[in-house]
């Protein structure tokens, strides 16, 4: 039967010449219920579509296929590309949190090119570091997290997350952590549409530590020395000069935040795309540009180098859909990106090479350490920095930014995907076969231009003399050019997919059979595995049946394997079954329950696997050997190197397995003005690769990890939305709640001396700490308290003697507090439109996790000093103190040596994550300008944050817990944009 199609103009007008003899046209529109219309003898056919408020007719992307939302029996959440583009963040995963129930993330950095959040689906179910990242699929091809972060949001049609066994079992050995499925934009039938989008953002840190000035810091330094029984380091005259600024060279007062960092950094984005097509060829072609500037002041500019952070990225995509014949469709996609990431070479103490380490470190950058410039314009220095802190004698910080140069990473990611889909209706209607071939190449290399010497001088204002910091350095050293060739990661995927989809009256039957082969070749630090192909092979099937959109059944299975395992363990079988019942389609419901227009129950059970077992790429079944000592053989010196038996091999090593149970209810009320879902899940991960803890080290040889661990992860999601219209005002409210709480059931840990020290039974990420019960208040208090291993002082932290032996030692540490990752997420989205104006707000919150800092993150005189240190323990403050006794030697109060609940602070937060105000220019104006549409908007990201973390720390609540310093902080952004479509 011949068919043809057309796209309406902006006003909905169309002209269509019918082919064939059916006399039926099908009218469809995104967000509306499609309608079939019999034309008859009419010359003019006007069609009005009804809104598909519940999205029941919406076709959603599932693993290796598509399905109507109403017939879906698995758990998934979807966001459109239009919603994603309301967020100006450069990394794609940053646009998802708060919008998709079941999606958890932490953005731990805001560094240009490295600001992508770490993310999980339904929390984490494994304590192995390499085992928690979801599988990422883009147009049926697997992506790495780094590739995913670099996708241009302009290229995205929609993103779905697959959460239960019904939706992930088809990925078999790779699906246990959930799956992120990205569908990119494709051309549509119609005349070419050209869209240009330009955006400019200003950025600031969400939280940036504010340190005390030289006067306040010197006072606290003297106070700490007095507490330690030492004489003051700074005299009253010194303090006066720090306070009044009368001696800026001998007694400087540096605001390092202002000296080192700009008030604002910027981001520039631009996109150009063209889409359209005919019956024969449809196309979507896009090019994107991104530039992220860094926070650092670019003092290196005068040397002709850029010593600031920055990230440049160019994205390109060409998606072609070709109708080769009436029954054959060809898809050819070429896409990728080029990126450049620049970081400064800063020469921090102890090899950190991190400007933020210098900024927070008291020993590196106390506010009084040295003047930035001397009177004659040379770089300043001081005897304090050179002689009293020899381990931190790293030269003038501004001089280092000016002269030390940069390290630059270049990346090139290119992908080619071709597939052919052949309908096999001549065999049976609804049958088709598709072949897919994908090749991806990722190549990174680095260049640097660095040096490490320049002169600086200690100025003596009393006699106007200059003493060199190092008399052997009298000129700026030349630059040295560095180059690391890097390596190429090659990824080849082939797929063959047989599909069947057919309706027989009210009966709908569908199925998929797939074979998939994937090979990855890449560099590995271990020479044994370097450029050794990592091979995956799988067979996948899906069969489904639904009757009248009421009774829904589906079975998925995957039989696939990986060469990371020995032959007898290479393959595994991963089945899942699911069913659903759309109660609202029953006649008895339609006749009797009018206000509930949609009600659906569904459930699933299945087993899914995870082959990313451990932090590194290893073949754990192999026996390892290493070079030993030398031995001499024969009468003459004939030295040979021996072999030492290393870690034993494990022939039984296999993948992790997860049993997933999911039950849910979906509903729509009052004409689907109110819609929502409630989803409950219970997952048990087993065979987690675990290092033996119950075997004594006297065994004498390294034992391989074994599949022993077991973790339970359970929780649920609630999503509810309300939408309505009053006059010219459209509005909607959408809220979601996600809970994913894990518990370690078994990890082969040694039997602890006391039950309260067992990790088993607790959540992943909880740690052993001492229980803080107050401060030592007097000598009598110290004398009457249990005896710690470090001599306590009045004002030190005091800990509970859990085992009652009269001592404070490691046996008094217990599992305390919440884990380091939130187990609860909230999202609230508010939208309204009035005529051509639009406003949206997204609030996001995360709860039930702890954050702690150590060393330069909080410890006085390791860290620069803050108002928290001004509220250190005194008899007057007592237990209200924010910090223990101020001391140059923290002793019993050390956050590193004595981790305690005092340093564990709730990371709970609420953010205004995203906001946008937009205006669409009137159609009369756009017609006069001969363009299709003009839209201008202002939006923002991480705009406001409410958190109680500031009672102890000055860093973002999403920062990595246990960190020893702040790193490049996440950014809040305000973005201006203009979009024009021709």
């Amino acid at each position: 039967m011949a068919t043809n199609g057309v796209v309406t103009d902006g006003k909905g007008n169309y002209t269509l010449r019918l082919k064939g003899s059916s006399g039926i046209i099908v009218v469809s529109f995104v967000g509306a219920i499609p309608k079939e219309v019999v034309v008859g003898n009419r010359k003019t056919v006007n069609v009005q579509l009804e809104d598909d408020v519940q999205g029941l007719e919406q076709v959603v992307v599932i693993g290796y296929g598509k399905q109507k939302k109403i017939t879906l029996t698995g758990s998934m959440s979807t966001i459109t590309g239009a919603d994603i583009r309301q967020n100006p963040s450069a990394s794609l995963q940053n646009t998802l949190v708060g919008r998709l129930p079941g999606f958890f993330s932490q953005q731990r950095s805001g560094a240009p090119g490295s600001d992508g959040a770490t993310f999980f689906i339904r929390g984490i179910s494994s304590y192995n570091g390499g085992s928690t990242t979801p599988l990422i699929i883009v147009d049926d091809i697997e992506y790495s997290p780094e590739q995913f972060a670099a996708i241009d949001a302009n290229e995205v049609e929609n993103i779905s997350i697959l959460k239960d066994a019904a939706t992930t079992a088809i990925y078999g050995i790779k699906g246990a952590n959930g799956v992120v499925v990205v569908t990119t934009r494709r051309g549509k039938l119609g005349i070419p549409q050209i869209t240009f989008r330009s955006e400019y953002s200003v950025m600031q840190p969400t939280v940036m530590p504010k340190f005390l000035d030289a006067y306040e810091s010197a006072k606290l330094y003297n106070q700490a020395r007095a507490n330690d029984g030492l004489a003051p380091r700074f005299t009253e005259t010194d303090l006066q000069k720090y306070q009044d600024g009368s001696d800026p060279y001998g007694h400087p007062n540096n605001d390092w935040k202002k000296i080192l960092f700009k008030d604002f950094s910027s981001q520039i984005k631009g996109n150009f795309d063209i889409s359209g097509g005919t019956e024969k060829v449809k196309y979507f072609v896009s090019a994107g540009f991104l530039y992220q500037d860094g926070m650092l002041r670019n003092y290196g500019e005068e040397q002709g180098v850029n010593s600031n952070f920055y990230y440049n990225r160019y994205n390109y995509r060409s998606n072609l859909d070709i109708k080769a014949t009436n029954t054959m469709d060809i898809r050819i996609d070429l896409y990728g990106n080029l990126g450049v990431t620049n970081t400064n070479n800063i020469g921090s103490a102890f090899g950190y090479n991190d400007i933020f380490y210098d900024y927070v470190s008291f020993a590196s950058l106390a506010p009084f350490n040295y003047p930035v410039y001397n009177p004659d314009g040379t770089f300043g220095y001081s005897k304090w920095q050179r002689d009293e802190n020899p381990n931190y004698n790293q030269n003038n910080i501004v001089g280092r930014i000016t002269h030390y140069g940069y390290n630059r990473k270049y990346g090139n990611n290119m992908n080619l995907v071709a597939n052919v889909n052949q309908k096999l209706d001549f065999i049976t209607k609804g049958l088709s076969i598709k072949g897919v071939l994908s090749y991806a190449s990722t190549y990174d290399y680095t260049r640097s231009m660095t040096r490490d010497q320049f002169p600086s001088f200690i100025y003596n204002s009393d006699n106007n003399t200059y003493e060199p910091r190092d008399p052997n350095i009298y000129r700026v050293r030349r630059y040295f050019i560095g180059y690391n060739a890097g390596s190429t990661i090659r990824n080849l995927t082939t797929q063959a997919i047989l599909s069947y989809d057919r309706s027989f009256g009210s009966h709908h039957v569908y199925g998929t059979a797939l074979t998939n082969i994937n090979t990855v070749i890449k560099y590995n630090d271990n020479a044994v595995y370097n450029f050794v192909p990592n091979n995956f092979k799988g067979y996948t099937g899906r069969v489904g049946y639904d009757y009248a959109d009421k009774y829904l059944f589906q079975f998925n299975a995957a039989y696939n394997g990986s060469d990371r395992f020995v032959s007898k363990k290479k393959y595994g079988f991963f089945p899942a079954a699911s069913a659903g019942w759309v109660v609202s389609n029953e006649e008895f419901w339609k006749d009797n329950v009018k206000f509930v227009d949609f009600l659906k129950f569904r459930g699933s059970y299945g087993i899914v696997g995870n082959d990313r077992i451990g932090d590194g790429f290893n073949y754990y079944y192999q026996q390892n050997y290493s070079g030993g000592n030398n031995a001499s053989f024969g009468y003459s010196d004939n030295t040979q190197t021996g072999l030492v038996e290393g870690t034993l091999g494990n022939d039984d090593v296999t993948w992790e397995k997860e049993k997933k149970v999911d039950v849910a209810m979906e509903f729509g009320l009052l004409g689907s003005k109110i819609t929502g879902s409630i989803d409950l899940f219970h997952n048990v991960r087993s065979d987690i690769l675990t290092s033996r803890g119950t075997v004594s080290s006297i065994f004498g040889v390294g034992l391989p990890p074994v599949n022993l661990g077991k973790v339970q992860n359970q929780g649920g999601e609630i999503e509810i939305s309300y939408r309505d219209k009053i006059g010219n005002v459209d509005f909607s409210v959408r809220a979601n709640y996600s809970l994913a709480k894990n518990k370690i059931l078994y990890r082969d840990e040694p039997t602890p001396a006391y039950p309260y020290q067992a990790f088993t039974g607790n959540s992943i990420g909880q740690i052993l700490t001492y229980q803080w019960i107050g401060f030592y208040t007097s000598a009598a208090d110290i004398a009457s308290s249990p005896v710690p291993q470090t001599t306590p002082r009045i004002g030190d932290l005091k800990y509970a003697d859990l085992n009652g032996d009269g001592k404070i030692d490691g046996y008094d540490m217990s599992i305390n507090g919440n884990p380091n990752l939130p187990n609860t997420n909230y999202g609230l989205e508010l939208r309204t439109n009035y005529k051509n104006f639009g406003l949206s707000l997204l609030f996001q919150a995360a709860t039930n996790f702890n954050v702690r800092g150590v060393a330069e993150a909080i410890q006085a005189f390791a860290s620069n000093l803050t108002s928290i240190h001004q509220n250190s323990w005194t008899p007057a403050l007592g237990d209200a103190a924010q910090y223990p006794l101020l001391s140059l030697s923290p002793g019993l109060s050390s956050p590193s040596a004595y981790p305690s609940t005092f340093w564990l602070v709730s990371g709970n937060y609420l953010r205004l994550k995203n906001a946008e105000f937009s205006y669409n220019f009137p159609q009369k104006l756009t017609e006069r300008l001969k363009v299709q549409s003009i839209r201008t908007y202002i939006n923002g990201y991480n705009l406001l944050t409410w958190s109680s973390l500031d009672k102890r720390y000055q860093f973002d609540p999403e920062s990595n817990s246990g960190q020893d310093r702040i790193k490049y902080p996440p950014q809040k952004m305000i973005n201006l944009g203009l979009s024009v479509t021709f």
Side-chain angles (χ1 to χ4, degrees), residues 249 371 373-381 386 456-461 463-469:
Y249 300 106
Y373 299 104
N374 291 318
D376 65 351
T378 58
F379 289 113
Y381 214 63
R386 184 186 65 183
S456 60
F457 301 90
I458 302 168
Y459 174 67
N460 187 330
S461 57
N463 55 21
N464 197 31
T465 59
Y466 294 83
E467 177 188 344
R469 165 187 167 267

Side-chain angles (χ1 to χ4, degrees), residues 125 152 158 173 196 211 292 322-323 440 473 507 550-551 576 656 662 687 721 755 922 924 957 963:
S125 299
D152 192 331
N158 57 63
I173 205 171
F196 170 77
F211 297 124
Q292 282 182 307
I322 303 168
K323 182 167 264 316
I473 299 175
H507 302 273
K550 288 191 291 189
Y551 312 116
E656 298 176 353
D662 187 276
D687 286 341
S721 63
K924 289 182 179 180
Q963 65 182 8

Side-chain angles (χ1 to χ4, degrees), residues 295-307:
M295 297 168 53
L296 195 62
R297 294 189 184 275
N298 187 16
Y299 291 104
E301 191 171 13
E302 62 187 65
Q303 298 293 314
V305 299
N306 191 336
S307 56

Side-chain angles (χ1 to χ4, degrees), residues 753-774:
Y754 300 96
Y756 53 75
Q757 294 189 315
F759 288 93
T760 302
N762 289 290
S763 294
I764 298 168
Q766 288 184 282
I767 62 171
L768 284 168
T769 62
Y770 293 94
Q771 288 187 23
W772 174 62
I773 57 174

Side-chain angles (χ1 to χ4, degrees), residues 12 30 59 71 74 101 170 301 340 510 625 646 659 701 737 798 882 894 914 917:
V30 176
V59 175
T71 65
I170 200 165
E301 191 171 13
V340 181
Y510 57 94
Y625 296 91
K659 295 179 180 178
V701 68
Y737 164 84
K798 185 178 181 181
Q882 291 182 278
S894 168
N914 193 206
F917 178 72

Side-chain angles (χ1 to χ4, degrees), residues 37-259:
V37 180
V38 178
V39 176
N41 297 321
R42 289 181 290 175
K43 301 285 187 180
T44 302
V45 180
N46 295 320
V47 182
Q48 184 171 347
L49 300 180
E50 297 179 6
D51 286 342
D52 184 16
V53 180
Q54 182 70 23
L56 303 181
E57 295 299 317
Q58 174 188 353
V59 175
V60 294
V61 177
I62 57 176
Y64 305 112
K66 296 180 180 181
Q67 191 172 343
K68 280 202 311 183
K69 183 179 178 181
I70 193 173
T71 65
L72 189 68
T73 54
S75 180
M76 67 180 294
S77 299
T78 301
I79 183 174
T80 67
D83 287 339
I84 289 170
R85 288 185 281 277
Q86 289 184 348
N87 188 319
S89 178
S91 294
L92 194 59
Q93 62 262 49
N94 296 349
T95 67
L96 305 180
V97 68
R99 297 182 185 273
L100 295 176
F103 187 88
F104 293 77
S105 75
Q106 278 195 326
Q107 186 186 356
R108 295 166 179 166
S109 171
S114 302
D115 62 353
T118 302
F119 60 96
F120 316 95
I121 293 176
R122 287 185 167 173
I124 58 175
S125 299
S126 176
Y127 46 76
N128 267 331
S131 302
T132 57
T133 305
L135 176 67
I136 301 168
I137 300 293
V138 180
D139 293 336
D140 289 338
I141 304 300
E142 184 176 347
Y143 262 44
S144 69
E146 294 76 20
Q147 289 176 302
F148 176 67
I151 295 175
D152 192 331
N154 186 62
E155 300 173 1
V156 175
E157 182 69 30
N158 57 63
I159 296 179
S160 299
I161 59 171
L162 314 182
K163 298 179 280 190
D164 70 338
T167 53
T168 62
I170 200 165
Y171 297 102
I173 205 171
K174 295 174 178 283
N177 297 324
V179 184
V180 177
V181 178
V182 181
T183 303
T184 61
R185 296 168 65 185
R186 311 202 69 80
K188 296 179 174 62
L189 187 68
I191 61 173
Q193 284 193 346
I194 301 172
T195 299
F196 170 77
R197 180 180 292 105
S198 180
E199 297 181 351
Y200 178 81
S201 304
V202 293
M203 302 184 291
Q204 274 189 325
T206 54
V207 179
M208 189 71 174
K210 297 177 182 178
F211 297 124
L212 302 180
D213 63 15
Y215 170 71
E216 296 293 344
S217 296
K219 277 205 316 179
L220 292 184
Y221 193 82
N222 278 353
Q223 180 183 330
R225 287 180 64 89
N227 292 339
D228 293 342
L230 303 173
R233 169 63 176 78
F234 302 102
T235 67
E236 289 299 322
T237 301
D238 290 329
L239 295 176
Q240 181 62 37
K241 289 182 178 180
Y242 284 132
Q243 188 174 34
D244 62 23
S246 58
D247 181 18
Y249 300 106
H251 295 79
N253 181 17
N254 295 315
D255 182 348
W256 288 118
K257 181 181 176 183
K258 186 175 292 186
I259 293 168

